[in-house]
Amino acid sequence: MTATPPGRTRRTALVATTCALAVTGAMVLSGCGGGGDDPDAGTNGVGKLPAARIQAKTRAAADAADAVRLSGSVTTSGRTYRLDMRLKADGGSGSVTSQGTAFKLLRVGEELYLKADAGFWNHADGSDGATGKLDGKYVKVPQGDPAYKKFSGFTDKDVLLDGLLTLHGTLAIDGRHTDQSGTRTIRITGDKGSGGTLDVSLQGQPYPLRLVRGGGAGSLRFSDWGKDFTVEEPAASDTVDYGRQLPTS
């Protein structure tokens, strides 16, 4: 058998190593998107769509989700409400603050309950007569009471999101961003932002993550998409009857 010259062996090994490095480098570049610098590599693909399609996709994802948590502020009819609510199809719960007065809402099916401290009821009642009875208790809101229509919307996922997740005016894309939780997002705007802005997740489902409403009408963050939680009626010992029309202001 003829022995291979040492020089040829070294050259052969060098060529093989160089080829292996080249192949590995190409694979790394391809896997990271470095070969073409594809900004949509590793995303859910909505970044390739026009703004109107992105809005439609995010609305569909939000509607299909079983649950969501939203927090922030909403201004309507000249009044600002600060919300921290968890919502799902058959109910919702959380807190609402308006004009320095805070109260909690709980909806189980069609039954709505309001819970507040003495300050809320003193303001609503104009006296302290109801304070001892209602302070820290759940008050069942009759469905025929004007307060039911006003407050139940804060606990209804479909109603609340339908009223919020709409940008007004001409839709456009305003680039890519990183959400505070580290999620990559794409931002769409209505009339260059005057009609609102919406940050949509580029990872996983295209859920809305942050909304700034047009006209300074508040901003909201959305989280815990699809994360279930329990809503149940409060104990009878923790529930009282207000005995008159509830306040809506």
Side-chain angles (χ1 to χ4, degrees):
M1 181 179 295
T2 303
T4 302
R8 182 180 298 175
T9 300
R10 287 194 296 272
R11 286 196 298 273
T12 301
L14 179 61
V15 170
T17 302
T18 302
C19 288
L21 290 173
V23 170
T24 302
M27 292 173 65
V28 171
L29 288 174
S30 176
C32 296
D37 292 327
D38 181 4
D40 293 295
T43 74
N44 54 26
V46 297
K48 298 178 179 180
L49 303 176
R53 288 285 307 282
I54 296 174
Q55 178 170 253
K57 287 277 189 180
T58 197
R59 285 293 301 271
D63 290 343
D66 293 331
V68 64
R69 180 176 182 175
L70 61 86
S71 58
S73 62
V74 173
T75 299
T76 179
S77 300
R79 176 159 295 181
T80 298
Y81 298 89
R82 294 201 61 81
L83 310 176
D84 188 357
M85 302 294 301
R86 298 187 70 184
L87 311 171
K88 60 180 184 177
D90 61 347
S93 65
S95 63
V96 180
T97 302
S98 177
Q99 294 185 325
T101 302
F103 54 94
K104 293 183 178 181
L105 293 173
L106 169 66
R107 183 175 62 83
V108 184
E110 297 299 319
E111 304 297 339
L112 178 67
Y113 300 87
L114 185 152
K115 183 177 184 179
D117 61 14
F120 176 90
W121 295 112
N122 284 343
H123 173 76
D125 206 50
S127 69
D128 60 1
T131 299
K133 179 182 178 182
L134 304 175
D135 184 16
K137 298 286 188 178
Y138 283 100
V139 174
K140 187 173 181 180
V141 183
Q143 293 188 29
D145 194 298
Y148 185 93
K149 181 178 181 180
K150 180 167 185 175
F151 293 140
S152 64
F154 289 136
T155 67
D156 191 312
K157 174 178 175 286
D158 292 338
V159 170
L160 196 56
L161 294 185
D162 187 59
L164 292 174
L165 296 180
T166 300
L167 301 178
H168 302 284
T170 303
L171 298 181
I173 294 175
D174 184 30
R176 294 159 189 263
H177 306 269
T178 299
D179 185 76
Q180 290 181 2
S181 61
T183 303
R184 297 162 65 189
T185 65
I186 188 162
R187 179 171 297 167
I188 56 177
T189 67
D191 278 349
K192 299 181 179 180
S194 63
T197 69
L198 185 65
D199 290 358
V200 179
S201 176
L202 286 170
Q203 299 171 219
Q205 292 294 321
Y207 291 129
L209 298 183
R210 182 173 183 268
L211 169 73
V212 177
R213 304 182 73 203
S219 63
L220 291 164
R221 297 192 67 83
F222 304 89
S223 61
D224 293 345
W225 286 105
K227 187 175 181 180
D228 195 19
F229 62 98
T230 300
V231 289
E232 57 186 10
E233 294 185 0
S237 60
D238 199 24
T239 306
V240 296
D241 180 15
Y242 183 56
R244 69 198 77 179
Q245 181 175 304
L246 270 72
T248 58
S249 58

